Each structure stands twice: as structure tokens, then as C-alpha cells.
Amino acid sequence: MLSQRKQEERKVRKEAIIKGALKVFNNSGIDKTTMDEIAKESGFGKATLYYYFSSKEEVFIEIMNYGWIDLWKGIENDIISDLNPREKFISIVKAIAKIVTADKILYGFLFTAPNYIQEPDNESWKKYQNRLYSVLQSIIEEGVQKKEFLDINPGLLMKAIGGLFHQLLINNDDELKDEDLELMLKNFLNPK
């Protein structure tokens, strides 16, 4: 059994590897990244890196898990809130916006890199992504039913909002104010 100190040490090392790998993936691309580069950027030797991860694909999956689980935990309270569909949707999107803007590199990677891995068995992060999308889509469906949203295909609305979201939060260096995001969402969902 590992001591509390050793467990904390391992956690810190793993996080350093994740952050280092994220930088290398972001700069060099996933295909061109090597374990040597990840080890160097993380500040560890290759042996230490291989102690924690057996391949760059495993590192990739860990990054995806880390980000999606963190995102899910950050919005759980908004999901279970007792708000009408419109307020709940806006609340969740605002919470996601805060999380994403706090670490644009991680979430930019999360939203653009999933096509890299072709082995569905290794995509444990997918369940969090699917849960989030399912929750948002069901809120939209309920909102359409209650006439709180435009009567539009929920999947299409999700894609449109996802594209806007990506451009505004990840590819934009300007600070997006909470009230501007809320106003945009309200107008986008139901421009009455």
C-alpha cells in the first residue's frame, strides 16, 4: 500500500506528464509527437514516462479522460438543478464556458482531437462526452416541446451552438463576458 505522500507524488507527476504532452501535441500534432518529446517537455526521463504510460495513445486517452471528467464534474450541479429547460441550458453552457476559458489549450484539444484514436475500446472518455451531449440534447428537446426554444432539430441546434462555442471560447482571445454569452444564447435559442 502506497503512503498518502507517494500517492500525491504520483498524481503530481501524472499531471505534469499530461500538461507536457498537451503542449507537445498542441505544437507538433498528435501524429508527429514522440514519447521522447513528451518526456522532455514534462521534465522526466523516458523511464518515468513509461512507468505511467506505455504509449502516446495512452497519454492521449488520459488527457481526454482528465478533461471530460473534469468538465462533467464542473457542470453536474447545473444538470440536476430544478430550472426550466431554457434557464438550465443557459446555466450549463455558462458553466462550460467558464471551465473551457480557464484552460483553452486542454479544451481546444478535447474538442478537436477525438478523431485521432480509432480504437473504441480505449475511449472511456466518450461516455462523459456522450452523457453531456445527451443531456444537452434532451434539454433542447424539452425546451422545444415547451416552446422555450426554436422549433428546430435538436441535433442541428447542438452543432450550431457547438461551432459558435468553439469559435467564441477557444479561437477567440477577447474575453467573453457572462452577460454577452447569456444574451447571445437567449437570442439564438428564441429570438422573439
Side-chain angles (χ1 to χ4, degrees):
M1 184 91 167
L2 292 174
S3 69
Q4 184 69 27
R5 187 180 65 80
K6 283 285 186 194
Q7 288 176 10
E8 188 59 35
E9 232 176 69
R10 283 185 175 182
K11 182 181 174 191
V12 168
R13 283 183 178 174
K14 220 172 179 183
E15 285 177 3
I17 292 168
I18 288 170
K19 288 180 192 298
L22 199 50
K23 281 183 185 175
V24 178
F25 285 151
N26 197 40
N27 292 333
S28 303
I30 297 167
D31 288 329
K32 293 179 182 169
T33 295
T34 65
M35 289 293 273
D36 284 330
E37 292 171 311
I38 294 172
K40 184 177 178 183
E41 184 64 42
S42 303
F44 298 111
K46 223 167 139 180
T48 301
L49 178 60
Y50 277 108
Y51 175 79
Y52 291 96
F53 301 100
S54 63
S55 66
K56 75 176 179 181
E57 286 78 13
E58 209 173 281
V59 177
F60 172 90
I61 291 165
E62 185 66 22
I63 291 170
M64 298 301 286
N65 283 331
Y66 177 82
W68 280 105
I69 291 169
D70 193 50
L71 185 61
W72 181 260
K73 286 180 180 177
I75 63 168
E76 274 183 311
N77 287 335
D78 294 292
I79 290 170
I80 61 172
S81 67
D82 195 25
L83 299 171
N84 66 46
R86 184 186 181 96
E87 290 170 340
K88 183 179 281 198
F89 187 83
I90 290 171
S91 173
I92 291 169
V93 171
K94 284 172 56 178
I96 292 171
K98 281 187 172 124
I99 294 166
V100 168
T101 54
D103 195 343
K104 286 185 179 188
I105 293 172
L106 172 63
Y107 289 99
F109 181 83
L110 238 60
F111 299 147
T112 57
N115 297 330
Y116 174 73
I117 297 288
Q118 301 300 320
E119 300 171 40
D121 294 344
N122 289 334
E123 295 180 346
S124 52
W125 53 270
K126 267 280 205 212
K127 72 179 178 183
Y128 293 97
Q129 181 188 50
N130 290 337
R131 282 169 68 189
L132 173 61
Y133 292 165
S134 294
V135 163
L136 291 174
Q137 191 158 335
S138 69
I139 293 169
I140 291 169
E141 288 168 357
E142 184 182 354
V144 167
Q145 238 177 16
K146 292 183 175 183
K147 303 206 184 305
E148 292 180 22
F149 295 168
L150 291 171
D151 189 6
I152 190 170
N153 176 308
L156 183 62
L157 183 59
M158 283 286 295
K159 286 179 183 177
I161 290 173
L164 275 172
F165 198 75
H166 194 269
Q167 282 300 111
L168 286 172
L169 297 177
I170 294 173
N171 294 338
N172 184 7
D173 289 333
D174 297 334
E175 181 185 342
L176 182 63
K177 294 181 181 146
D178 221 22
E179 54 273 7
D180 291 340
L181 177 63
E182 189 166 340
L183 181 62
M184 182 200 66
L185 286 171
K186 283 180 179 178
N187 288 329
F188 193 78
L189 294 173
N190 193 3
K192 287 183 181 178

